[in-house]
């Protein structure tokens, strides 16, 4: 259902070649995949005016079809790997021990890449990552808060193959130490990001609860909160789904609370709700 899926037939090429398929057999197996992708592409382009529905406001043309070589090279050579090797939400400063683990992780990855005998797996992993990024490369200009990292779900398949090439076939204490350093950093980065996601979730809950209290204070007068942010510290907030959040806490608020002002409704600012309006 996402535009990344158009890369699947292309991803299959290096994967099937790696397990020994000949080109003739490979072509016979993948032709139906390419035909199906072409049909779906035409249909989605007709319905959504683009493969993912994302339009550039200034021109009204599909973002995914606007190929710019400098942007592509910058995304593929810099931004992509910065997110993969340092998956940190920099909207909050990471703890010193997480930064220390990041340095150790870089050292471990460098040693593993230098000593790895599985060059073929490394090449396949790199190919899968780059190919799977082709449909979404305009979105690879990541912010420091990882708000667009969702486009890397499919490229993570290539990252897994890349890690297998880095870690397979090596033995000894140095390999174990390098792998442990990488894993410890990944765990530390996850805990850092979870803290931000958890705090944003608590802010969303508090905002919805404040709206419920406002509704209960005067249930007959509709009100709207039009300025809720789309995201907070890189985590999606209540710009979408605010009325549903309030309805879950207070079913009687149906058709009374909204994010879009209507005639006769009060305007309540999102900042007031987030401070805990009573």
């Amino acid at each position: 259902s996402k535009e990344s899926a158009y890369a699947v037939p292309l991803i299959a090429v290096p994967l099937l070649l790696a397990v020994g398929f000949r080109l003739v057999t490979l072509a016979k197996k993948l032709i139906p995949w390419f035909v199906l992708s072409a049909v779906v592409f035409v249909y989605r382009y007709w319905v959504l005016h683009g493969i993912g529905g994302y339009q550039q406001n200034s021109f009204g043309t599909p973002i995914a079809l606007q190929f710019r070589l400098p942007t592509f090279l910058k995304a593929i050579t810099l931004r992509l790997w910065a997110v993969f090797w340092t998956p940190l939400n920099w909207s909050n400063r990471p703890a010193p021990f997480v930064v220390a683990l990041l340095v150790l992780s870089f050292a471990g990855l460098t040693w593993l890449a230098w000593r790895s005998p599985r060059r073929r797996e490394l090449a396949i992993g790199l190919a899968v990552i780059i190919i799977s990024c082709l449909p979404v490369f305009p979105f690879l200009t990541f912010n420091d808060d990882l708000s667009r990292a969702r486009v890397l779900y499919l490229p993570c398949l290539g990252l897994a193959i890349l890690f297998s090439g880095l870690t397979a076939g090596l033995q000894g204490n140095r390999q174990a130490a390098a792998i442990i350093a990488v894993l410890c950093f990944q765990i530390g980065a996850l805990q850092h990001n979870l803290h931000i996601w958890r705090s944003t979730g608590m802010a969303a809950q508090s905002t919805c609860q404040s709206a419920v209290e406002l509704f209960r204070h005067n249930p007959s007068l509709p009100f709207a909160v039009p300025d809720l942010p789309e995201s907070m510290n890189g985590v999606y907030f209540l710009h979408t789904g605010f009325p549903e959040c309030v309805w879950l806490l207070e079913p009687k608020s149906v058709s009374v609370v909204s994010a879009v002002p209507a005639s006769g409704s009060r305007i309540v600012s999102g900042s007031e709700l987030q401070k805990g309006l009573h």
Side-chain angles (χ1 to χ4, degrees):
S1 64
K2 289 291 186 180
E3 55 271 19
S4 298
Y6 291 110
V8 171
L10 293 173
I11 291 173
V13 174
L15 294 179
L16 295 180
L17 286 176
V19 297
F21 276 82
R22 296 182 178 180
L23 289 177
V24 176
T25 306
L26 183 68
K28 292 181 180 179
K29 287 187 173 295
L30 291 184
I31 284 176
W33 290 33
F34 281 97
V35 171
L36 179 61
S37 295
V39 172
V40 175
F41 177 87
V42 172
Y43 172 73
R44 286 173 65 88
Y45 191 86
W46 174 63
V47 173
L48 301 175
H49 306 292
I51 65 173
Y54 300 103
Q55 307 289 319
Q56 189 178 50
N57 293 331
S58 56
F59 299 102
T61 55
I63 292 178
L65 298 183
Q66 296 175 13
F67 184 84
R68 294 183 179 88
L69 184 60
T71 303
F72 175 75
L73 293 178
K74 184 178 180 180
I76 293 297
T77 59
L78 297 176
R79 300 293 185 111
L80 173 64
W81 302 106
V83 174
F84 269 152
W85 303 134
T86 59
L88 289 168
N89 186 337
W90 294 95
S91 59
N92 285 5
R93 180 178 299 178
F97 81 92
V98 176
V99 177
L101 290 175
L102 171 60
V103 175
L104 292 176
S105 176
F106 271 130
L109 287 171
T110 302
W111 188 87
L112 290 170
W114 177 54
R115 296 295 302 272
S116 174
R118 302 291 184 90
R119 303 297 178 181
R120 188 178 186 183
E121 281 87 344
L122 296 181
I124 295 172
L126 289 172
V128 171
I129 289 173
I130 294 175
I131 291 172
S132 58
C133 285
L134 292 178
V136 295
F137 86 88
F139 303 100
L140 295 182
T141 54
F142 298 105
N143 299 323
D144 293 339
D145 55 19
L146 298 181
S147 57
R148 295 180 179 178
R150 68 186 187 279
V151 301
L152 297 181
Y153 293 158
L154 187 58
C156 281
L157 169 64
L159 185 64
I161 299 173
L162 191 63
F163 273 124
S164 72
L166 290 173
T167 58
L170 294 176
Q171 297 179 353
N173 294 333
R174 291 182 179 179
Q175 181 212 19
I179 295 175
I180 289 173
V182 175
L183 290 177
C184 287
F185 167 67
Q186 294 291 331
I187 294 172
L190 177 61
Q191 293 304 315
H192 169 80
N193 294 337
L194 281 175
H195 174 73
I196 298 174
W197 294 333
R198 194 175 294 115
S199 62
T200 303
M202 293 175 63
Q205 183 181 24
S206 175
T207 301
C208 293
Q209 185 61 50
S210 297
V212 170
E213 294 174 4
L214 181 62
F215 163 77
R216 290 173 178 170
H217 180 71
N218 194 342
S220 61
L221 183 60
F223 67 91
V225 188
D227 64 339
L228 287 171
E230 183 177 356
S231 63
M232 181 181 295
N233 294 328
V235 182
Y236 288 111
F237 199 62
L238 295 171
H239 183 75
T240 301
F242 170 68
E244 291 79 4
C245 176
V246 180
W247 298 340
L248 287 172
L249 296 174
E250 179 53 76
K252 295 180 181 179
S253 67
V254 175
S255 73
V256 176
V257 180
S258 68
V260 179
S263 58
S265 64
R266 290 175 291 170
I267 304 299
V268 180
S269 70
S271 58
E272 287 181 293
L273 289 180
Q274 291 173 44
K275 291 178 181 177
L277 179 63
H278 295 286

